[in-house]
């Protein structure tokens, strides 16, 4: 089976968020779970400015011309050397050396990602490699699927179209004009709502044979008004094509028994050693370690989605009981300010560290007793899975992937963490108080930590589900190659 996997970012070459984790891991996991040479999965990512400054070993492959009005644009394709998964880096004038992966200017991003999406299809034709599946991710590469649908090239007549939605509300607003420049017309006669007929992600959804949401709960949530970003009715009409598949974790990177960034490694059988990581971190912060005071961590983008305001207001109301808290995050300026403000009010037990710091994040996962994730919505979420692997108990809102990965039975012996339903600081406070109370019950707490550490968050499990989706789509194409229009 030949899979062409398109993404705006992929680890270890370039990563901004969760999409980078997935695009870096899933293709390798697919190779690992299948017989040698039974799957030919190839990845393409843009040759972003940051990559050009420090490129991995590459060889030039080919030049391409991408249809564009008023004149075609040139792309250069490079191929990664010595990689088990073939990976292409696509460059062009729209990838400036100093440009970020995602810019604040939606129209610029529209041009660059539409250019990239179409260049991937041009590349497949130029090297005469007919993929069975083109797998796009989020709005950035969704135009590739729409182009396959409307351009209806003979070369791609057996190619199935799969889209993963990592974060639905990012529809690609402002990128619509770029589609027209590249010859992709609005889907005027489609069942999409009129406002969505020229937006990359809705067009990708429309064109996709299968739509994957990154958790089973998120797959259901996107069909409701609260989470559907206005597309809920259309998504409901496609319910039979929607599948929820949880992301996996890179278990080699996130392993407390081998983690090179943490002071004291530990595992399920010597969990007492975890405490040393807490002591060391607290000492660095100038805080007194106390076995009876839980260390609560948040490691997150500072975005409205993440419910930081709920956490700040709950913590403010809980000064009557012992806890210490540390937030590591960057993002929205107003949220950063609110996060910093609490430190002025209670500097003796709360600290904000406003930067992106992967090394510190490892140390914090190892040191903390609890990880707080009060997200308003959370398509999948990796942080809670990492926390559980490190014996750090997650306290999360019952939404999306948090609901699917955290088990809260009300009894620590049979739970892996805590969930609260309503996106309110009261609900969070109540649950956090419950967690802090349980923290004092040593044996029960240890059981809960172990329960979390024993969960299987491997990519192998998710990769098998992706493989099933690919197989279904391929079979459908073989049985009925002419069913192209709007699928469902
Ligand atoms: P999202 O993709 O919505 O940002 P996830 O929970 O899926 O949320 O993934 C976030 C990832 O980014 C996790 O691996 C988390 O540890 C990491 N992360 C978030 N903020 C920071 C930060 N300030 N420093 C280091 N790592 C961070």
């Amino acid at each position: 089976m030949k899979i062409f996997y398109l993404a705006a970012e992929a680890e270890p070459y370039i990563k901004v968020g969760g999409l980078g984790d997935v695009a870096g891991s899933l293709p390798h996991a697919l190779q690992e779970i299948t017989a040698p040479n039974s799957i030919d999965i190839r990845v393409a990512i843009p040759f972003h400015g940051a990559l050009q400054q420090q490129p991995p070993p590459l060889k030039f492959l080919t030049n391409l011309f991408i249809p564009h009005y008023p004149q075609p644009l040139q792309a250069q394709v490079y191929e990664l050397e010595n990689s088990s998964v073939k990976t292409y880096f696509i460059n062009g004038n729209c990838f400036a050396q100093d440009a970020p992966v995602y810019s604040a200017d939606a129209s610029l991003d529209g041009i660059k990602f539409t250019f990239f999406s179409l260049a991937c299809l041009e590349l497949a034709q130029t090297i005469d490699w007919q993929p069975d599946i083109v797998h796009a991710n989020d709005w950035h590469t969704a135009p590739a699927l729409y182009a396959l649908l409307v351009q209806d090239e003979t070369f791609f007549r057996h190619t199935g179209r799969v889209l993963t939605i990592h974060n639905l509300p990012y529809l690609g607003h402002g990128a619509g004009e770029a589609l027209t420049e590249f010859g992709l017309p609005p889907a005027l006669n489609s069942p999409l709502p009129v406002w969505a007929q020229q937006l990359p992600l809705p067009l990708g959804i429309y064109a996709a044979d299968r739509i994957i949401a990154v958790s089973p709960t998120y797959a259901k949530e996107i069909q409701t008004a609260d989470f559907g970003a206005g597309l809920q009715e259309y998504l409901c009409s496609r319910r039979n094509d929607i599948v929820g598949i949880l992301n996996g974790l890179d278990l080699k990177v996130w392993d407390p028994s081998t983690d090179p960034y943490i002071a004291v490694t530990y595992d399920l059988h010597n969990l007492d050693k975890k405490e040393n990581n807490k002591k060391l971190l607290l000492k660095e912060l100038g805080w007194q370690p106390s076995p009876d005071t839980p260390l609560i961590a948040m490691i997150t983008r500072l975005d409205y989605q993440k419910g930081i305001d709920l956490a700040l207001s709950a913590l403010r109301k809980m000064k009557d009981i012992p806890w210490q808290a540390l937030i590591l995050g960057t993002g929205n300026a107003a949220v950063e300010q609110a996060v910093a403000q609490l430190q002025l009010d209670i500097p003796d037990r709360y600290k904000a560290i406003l930067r992106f710091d992967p090394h510190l994040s490892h140390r914090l996962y190892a040191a903390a007793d609890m990880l707080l994730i009060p997200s308003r919505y959370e398509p999948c979420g990796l942080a809670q899975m990492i926390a559980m692997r490190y014996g750090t108990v997650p306290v999360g809102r019952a939404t999306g992937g948090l609901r699917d990965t955290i088990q809260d039975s009300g009894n620590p012996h049979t739970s892996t963490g805590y969930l609260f339903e309503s996106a309110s600081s009261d609900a969070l406070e109540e649950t956090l108080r419950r967690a802090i109370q349980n923290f004092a019950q040593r044996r029960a707490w240890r059981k809960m930590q172990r329960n979390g550490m024993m969960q299987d968050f491997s990519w192998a499990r998710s990769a098998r589900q992706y493989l099933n989706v690919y197989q279904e789509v391929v079979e459908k194409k073989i049985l009925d190659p002419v069913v192209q229009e709007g699928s469902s």
Side-chain angles (χ1 to χ4, degrees), residues 52-72:
Q52 293 168 38
Q53 287 167 25
Q54 280 190 317
L58 299 174
K59 62 172 185 257
F60 175 77
L61 187 65
T62 183
N63 281 316
L64 305 169
F65 284 94
I66 315 306
H68 172 263
Y69 180 82
Q71 70 247 359

Side-chain angles (χ1 to χ4, degrees), residues 15-19 21 166-167 247 249 254 299-302 305-306 328-330 353-362 365 373 378-384 386:
K15 176 189 155 175
V16 176
L19 170 60
D21 287 302
H166 300 261
N167 200 331
N247 292 333
L249 265 192
W254 300 108
I299 303 168
T300 177
R301 281 187 296 118
L302 297 180
Q305 171 200 342
K306 299 289 181 180
L328 172 64
T330 48
I353 300 180
L354 300 179
R355 61 173 191 261
F356 191 85
D357 187 338
H359 293 185
L360 180 59
S361 81
H362 281 249
Y365 283 115
I373 322 128
E378 192 61 74
C380 176
L382 293 174
Q384 80 282 8
I386 301 171

Side-chain angles (χ1 to χ4, degrees), residues 17 35 125 131 214 227 238 252 412-413 439 477:
Q125 298 197 62
V214 288
F227 299 91
R238 297 289 306 276
K252 289 192 205 94
H413 287 275
F439 179 72
K477 287 279 163 199

